[in-house]
Structures are given as C-alpha cells and as structure tokens.
Amino acid sequence: MARPIGPRETGTMKRSRYSDEQIAYALRQAETGTAVADVCRQLGISDATFYVWKKKYANLGATELRELRLLREENAKLKRLVADLSLDKQILGEIVRKKV
C-alpha cells in the first residue's frame, strides 16, 4: 500500500478553505456584536480557529489580508529557490573537489 504524500513531501503549503474576505467578514461580524459561537456556526469553524484568525488578523481588512497572503506565498517561493540554489552550489563544489 502506498504511503500518502503530505505537504512536506510535495513542497506545497496547505491552503485555507476560507478566502480572505470570509475571514475578514467573520472578524467584522464578531466586532459588531454577533456572538462568536454564531459566527463560527455560520462558517462551520471551531471557536479555536476563530480565535487564531483574530490573533493573526485582528486589525487587518480584506485587502491587507490578501496582500499578506500574497507576500507569504512569494516568500515561500523565494525560500524554495534559495534552497535549490544552495543545493546546486554544494553539488558543484563536491564535483570540483573530486576532480582536483
């Protein structure tokens, strides 16, 4: 039986099921007085997820959330690029040492 491939083996990050707009909407609903339990029930999330979102995105609007997500994706892409280039450099260095 084959072993399932997780995000670490594929090099991809887990994507959120919820858009930036949905997260911002949930936080705004709670700020305007809707009970947190009701907001969580509407979105189908746990209270813990809501409070994690609140901790991360408390003062951000939908546009800032979108920009933050894009910056994180770009940062992850650049980190993978640096790792690949470092590996290439190491391999080339070993080849040069073997030839000398």
Side-chain angles (χ1 to χ4, degrees), residues 47-84:
D47 289 351
T49 299
F50 176 83
Y51 288 112
V52 167
W53 287 353
K54 186 174 179 180
K55 184 178 177 183
K56 282 185 181 179
Y57 311 117
N59 300 321
L60 301 178
T63 56
E64 288 99 0
L65 281 174
R66 194 174 308 114
E67 185 178 343
L68 178 63
R69 181 171 287 170
L70 291 173
L71 288 172
R72 286 182 177 169
E73 288 173 0
E74 183 181 1
N75 192 27
K77 179 181 172 184
L78 292 172
K79 284 182 178 183
R80 284 191 301 272
L81 182 64
V82 167
D84 290 342

Side-chain angles (χ1 to χ4, degrees), residues 14-30:
K14 180 180 174 187
R15 299 269 325 195
S16 175
R17 286 186 355 187
Y18 300 95
S19 68
D20 302 328
E21 291 81 12
Q22 288 174 313
I23 295 171
Y25 175 75
L27 295 175
R28 270 196 315 272
Q29 287 288 78

Side-chain angles (χ1 to χ4, degrees), residues 25-26 29-30 33-45 47 50:
Y25 175 75
Q29 287 288 78
T34 306
V36 172
D38 293 338
V39 173
C40 294
R41 194 175 312 112
Q42 288 174 355
L43 289 174
I45 60 172
D47 289 351
F50 176 83

